[in-house]
Amino acid sequence: MKQLFVHCTREYTQLALVEDGRLAEISIEKTGSDSLVGNIYKGRVVNVLPGMQAAFVDIGLSKNAFLYVDDCLHPHLEKQPKVKPSIAELLSPGDELIVQIMKDPLGGKGARVTTHYSLPGRWLVYMPHADYVGISKKIEAEDERSRLRQLADELRHPGEGLIMRTNAAGMSREALHEDLESLRLKWREVCVRAEKAAAPAELHRDSGLVERMVRDVVTPDTEELIIDDEKRLEEVKAALHRVVPGMEERVRLHRDARDMFQAYGIQEQMERAFQGYIRLENGGYLVWDQTEALTVIDVNTGKYTGTVDLEETVFQTNLKAAEEIARLLRLRDVGGIIIVDFIDMEKEEHRQQVVERLEATFKRDRTKCQVVGWTRLGLLEMTRKKARESVSSYFLKACPTCKGRGQLFVRGFSV
């Protein structure tokens, strides 16, 4: 069972996804400051750096966008040259090209852009020049994967690429074709604007937070969508009517005088989830430390003493920790490198089961996660794609005294 909560204030719109009573995702959009991921621009190459195999492109933002050489080559790996060319062979200062933002500007860095264009729909993702078909890995039934692959090959034009999303499972040819045609129309509009516009110029803006969540998250098992802003109620209903007709009946207005997140226990769950010390249900606990480069998580048995032997106690703690870590990575929207120090296990089968539990829980995550494997020191390496600013940046601020280090330098100490 899923519930979607939309909390609106003057400064922010916050969306909370609750699955079976547990907080699963938080998304935040600052009023007047939408994410740029998915937006398409006509840009002008400002500088080409062969030593970095990259170019900087002016797309009209305060900082130039970064375009890596791989994002200039054909989107189909099999159609790329065997020897990677120099970026200087592909681009020159002054060149104009269409680019799409794949990563928001973060910190002092400009946006990262690509020429591998993609337009997401309800059931599929349209890639005008990719020339391949992909099926969501979350669709596991082989007969359904084969059906969708055959339909995609029949529906796409030569040179086009399609990715069948998880929601496409069970959908009819007519529904998929209708989704594809609407995305083709969007791309044609982008091309027409590009011909007329002078660089730098915005050609296409991706949907806002509410419509993205309706498109990507709302499914038939979404029991209700609750919003606390009467003015935006109709906007949400209209988005549902466009994307999931019939679901608008499940929208209701939060009329309680209490803050919606507090009334439904969301605020309490958020406060627990964003701590550096997180208790597990069985008495174990996690120590969570996040730096600019990576996230480090330490697993401990705590008060859990088990009932059989030490190896079983450790194994059960690690299994519970794996589930909670996967949930929290999604909830905190952590991106980049993640290192987990699970409690040492003697049996290889236990280590494999911990990885399997992580990967099974990751299937609920819409962001790409990859378990790289165990290091020689027994640490588990993972990565999670980072496209937007982490949700934790809104809730966690560095301590003004220790500057986020958690320690102070003591002057004039004495032994």
Side-chain angles (χ1 to χ4, degrees), residues 175-210:
L176 297 172
H177 183 255
E178 184 180 342
D179 201 21
L180 175 57
E181 282 300 313
S182 69
L183 296 174
R184 280 183 178 139
L185 177 60
K186 280 185 182 179
W187 178 246
R188 287 196 291 270
E189 291 171 348
V190 167
C191 295
V192 169
R193 293 191 190 105
E195 289 179 2
K196 298 177 180 179
E202 181 180 285
L203 305 177
H204 166 76
R205 180 173 288 270
D206 196 19
S207 305
L209 176 62
V210 172

Side-chain angles (χ1 to χ4, degrees), residues 362-376:
F362 278 149
K363 288 182 179 179
R364 291 188 168 193
D365 197 335
R366 292 179 296 119
T367 300
K368 183 179 179 181
C369 306
Q370 181 180 2
V371 178
V372 179
W374 298 93
T375 71
R376 293 174 66 182

Side-chain angles (χ1 to χ4, degrees), residues 140-272:
E140 297 180 346
E142 277 304 318
D143 56 344
E144 182 61 12
R145 294 180 65 86
S146 297
R147 183 187 78 91
L148 290 174
R149 188 176 297 280
Q150 182 178 345
L151 279 175
D153 281 327
E154 293 172 1
L155 291 172
R156 73 186 181 104
H157 294 160
E160 292 181 334
L162 298 178
I163 295 176
M164 293 300 187
R165 308 185 70 178
T166 307
N167 291 341
M171 297 308 300
S172 67
R173 178 193 176 96
E174 291 71 24
L176 297 172
H177 183 255
E178 184 180 342
D179 201 21
L180 175 57
E181 282 300 313
S182 69
L183 296 174
R184 280 183 178 139
L185 177 60
K186 280 185 182 179
W187 178 246
R188 287 196 291 270
E189 291 171 348
V190 167
C191 295
V192 169
R193 293 191 190 105
E195 289 179 2
K196 298 177 180 179
E202 181 180 285
L203 305 177
H204 166 76
R205 180 173 288 270
D206 196 19
S207 305
L209 176 62
V210 172
E211 188 149 350
R212 284 201 313 273
M213 289 294 278
V214 166
R215 179 189 71 199
D216 299 339
V217 175
V218 174
T219 54
D221 66 338
T222 304
E223 188 174 82
E224 56 183 353
L225 194 157
I226 305 169
I227 184 168
D228 60 1
D229 188 315
E230 195 164 4
K231 293 180 180 178
R232 298 199 67 181
L233 181 68
E234 294 307 316
E235 177 189 339
V236 172
K237 285 186 174 181
L240 280 166
H241 181 72
R242 285 193 301 273
V243 180
V244 202
M247 291 287 287
E248 54 270 43
E249 298 176 0
R250 303 186 190 185
V251 180
R252 67 181 178 87
L253 184 66
H254 174 72
R255 299 182 181 277
D256 197 312
R258 292 179 300 166
D259 177 274
M260 183 172 70
F261 277 15
Q262 291 185 345
Y264 288 93
I266 296 171
Q267 187 67 35
E268 182 183 350
Q269 289 196 52
M270 284 168 56
E271 289 174 4
R272 287 202 306 267

Side-chain angles (χ1 to χ4, degrees), residues 315 318-319 322 342 345 348-362 371-374 380 382:
F315 174 54
N318 284 340
L319 280 180
F342 284 103
M345 293 171 284
E348 181 59 34
E349 63 189 82
H350 285 172
R351 288 155 62 95
Q352 184 57 36
Q353 287 180 55
V354 167
V355 170
E356 290 171 358
R357 183 67 61 89
L358 265 172
E359 291 175 336
T361 314
F362 278 149
V371 178
V372 179
W374 298 93
L380 190 65
M382 299 183 289

